Amino acid sequence: MLGSLNSHEEEEDPDHHHRHRRFRHGFAPPANHMRQLLSSCAELISQSDYAAAARVISLLSGSSSPCGDSTDRLVHQFARALSLKLNRVTFHNLLLCSPSPSSSSSSASTSSSREEEALQQTSYLYLNQITPFIRFCHLTANQAILEAVDGHRAIHILDLDTMQGVQWPPLMQAIADRRHGDPPSIRITGVGRDLNTLLRTGDRLRLFAQSLGLDFRFDPLPVPDPVVTTAQSLLSAVTLLPGEALAVNCVLYLHELLSGGGDDDGDAVLLAFLRGIRAMNPRVVTVAEREGSHNHPAFLRRFGEAVEHYAAIFDSLEATLPPGSRERLSVEQVWFGREVADIVAGEGRERRERHERFEKWAEMMRASGFSNVPLSPFALSQAKLLLRLHYPSEGYQLQLLTDSLFLGWQNKPLFSVSSWN
């Protein structure tokens, strides 16, 4: 909490204090100068001055740590991402004048991929626990779904990125609490990259639904790569049953589809997908996305935007968690670290974290035939209660604008949730 920052300083480990004493004695750049060095390094890479960029990266890497203050940790993550970008650029140049190297063992690659996926899953659960961001998106989207399907006897939710399904128990509980007579049936079509993860998620949700006395069904729909998979093939695999009220849930999902066309025609891929959803005639489509402009093809533009966005996120974690939090370390290193690396080092179709601000999503939804449905006052009250009970920091701010709800930190919007039909 903001009021406990002084006690946090007393809890820090000796290495942390020693490192910051080195800062003050001039052996490493002070924290307020390190972000400037990040920008300078990005400029050097954009100018193809790779030797100078490597020297700056070495300085930043040696002067930052994943266990320091928020600026220190931010610089550490972006220095890693810049190093990755530099390695990719120089390796690409090497390939232009050298024979292709032999590929690594496929079994080793598969094992590494599984370990990375397990780390991501764990980090996601930590993210959901220690920050309000995911829970805010889920609860606000759930309220819009609950209101849109009220009174229907059969509910079908198409969840386009199910993960561990943590969004759905609160909605199922709300439906069970609001029922008059027999509760409606609930069917969730869960989309995800890994079938085994989806099956485990379905088992957990079925047990929870059983405890509530709900008629529940979970249909797993594995899609290894939502970008490669066309809109037509994905949506055609969804089973629609007569009499069901359909809700389509797009929480932190649509931005990935923008990479389907690389830097050129990502909008066309997304529009085709949204028009396919429109043809399914859903009662509601919920959209939750980052409030960041990380999709610009110009490297320096998106780099600067990303630094500002993640600086606010890291500051929020600084104010609400103790310095030695293992959960925060996992979230920043694994989850946010992956995102930063993708935004900074990824190019073309390989760059998936193509966050856009609300105006972009509103434009795309309207172009696909959807209209914005105002979020109810209860959605705002529910979000305020979430922050007050679980994340009581004055830095978090909620705004209801253009019939949509925004969560930010210190006047900087970070996430938005909107509802469409």
Side-chain angles (χ1 to χ4, degrees), residues 367-393:
S368 304
F370 290 98
S371 299
N372 196 190
V373 179
L375 293 172
S376 69
F378 188 77
L380 177 59
S381 300
Q382 187 173 244
K384 288 180 177 178
L385 183 63
L386 169 70
L387 294 179
R388 185 166 68 249
L389 292 180
H390 301 285
Y391 310 96
S393 171

Side-chain angles (χ1 to χ4, degrees), residues 152-153 174-185 212-215:
H152 289 267
R153 302 302 306 157
I175 291 174
D177 291 343
R178 292 180 64 170
R179 71 191 187 197
H180 301 287
D182 292 335
S185 64
L212 298 175
L214 294 175
D215 179 7

Side-chain angles (χ1 to χ4, degrees), residues 205-281:
L205 292 177
R206 271 188 291 271
L207 287 174
F208 185 75
Q210 184 178 0
S211 72
L212 298 175
L214 294 175
D215 179 7
F216 177 79
R217 171 178 160 186
F218 183 86
D219 295 338
L221 180 54
V223 179
D225 192 331
V227 175
V228 174
T229 304
T230 64
Q232 290 77 11
S233 62
L234 171 58
L235 298 179
S236 65
V238 178
T239 302
L240 300 178
L241 300 178
E244 287 184 329
L246 175 64
V248 180
N249 188 61
C250 308
V251 170
L252 306 180
Y253 174 79
L254 294 181
H255 66 269
E256 289 195 8
L257 299 184
L258 290 174
S259 63
D263 291 329
D264 300 322
D265 58 352
D267 284 9
V269 174
L270 179 58
L271 280 173
F273 182 80
L274 292 175
R275 287 168 180 162
I277 290 178
R278 179 69 183 85
M280 301 169 77
N281 196 29

Side-chain angles (χ1 to χ4, degrees), residues 310-333:
Y310 287 95
I313 289 179
F314 279 43
D315 284 346
S316 73
L317 296 176
E318 175 87 354
T320 55
L321 290 166
S325 170
R326 295 178 182 272
E327 294 82 1
R328 182 178 70 183
L329 183 65
S330 173
V331 168
E332 291 179 346
Q333 289 275 93

Side-chain angles (χ1 to χ4, degrees), residues 23 49 54 65 69 71 99 126 134 141 143 152 156 173 191 198 200 202 205 264 330 347 356 358-359 368 381:
F23 287 175
D49 192 346
S65 164
D69 62 22
T71 300
Y126 286 153
I134 301 298
Q143 183 61 32
H152 289 267
H156 179 197
Q173 182 72 63
V191 180
L198 290 174
R200 290 192 297 269
L205 292 177
D264 300 322
S330 173
E347 294 293 347
E356 294 275 10
F358 171 79
E359 292 77 12
S368 304
S381 300

Side-chain angles (χ1 to χ4, degrees), residues 110-171:
T110 301
S111 176
S112 176
S113 178
R114 288 174 179 170
E115 291 176 1
E116 182 178 350
E117 180 66 21
L119 286 174
Q120 290 290 334
Q121 297 286 342
T122 300
S123 182
Y124 176 80
L125 292 176
Y126 286 153
L127 177 68
N128 186 58
Q129 292 169 5
I130 68 175
T131 76
F133 306 131
I134 301 298
R135 295 177 73 180
F136 160 75
C137 294
H138 287 172
L139 288 175
T140 308
N142 282 355
Q143 183 61 32
I145 293 172
L146 188 65
E147 294 170 6
V149 302
D150 189 33
H152 289 267
R153 302 302 306 157
I155 300 168
H156 179 197
I157 299 170
L158 172 57
D159 184 11
L160 290 168
D161 193 8
T162 300
M163 300 289 286
Q164 286 93 348
V166 295
Q167 177 172 353
W168 303 121
L171 178 67

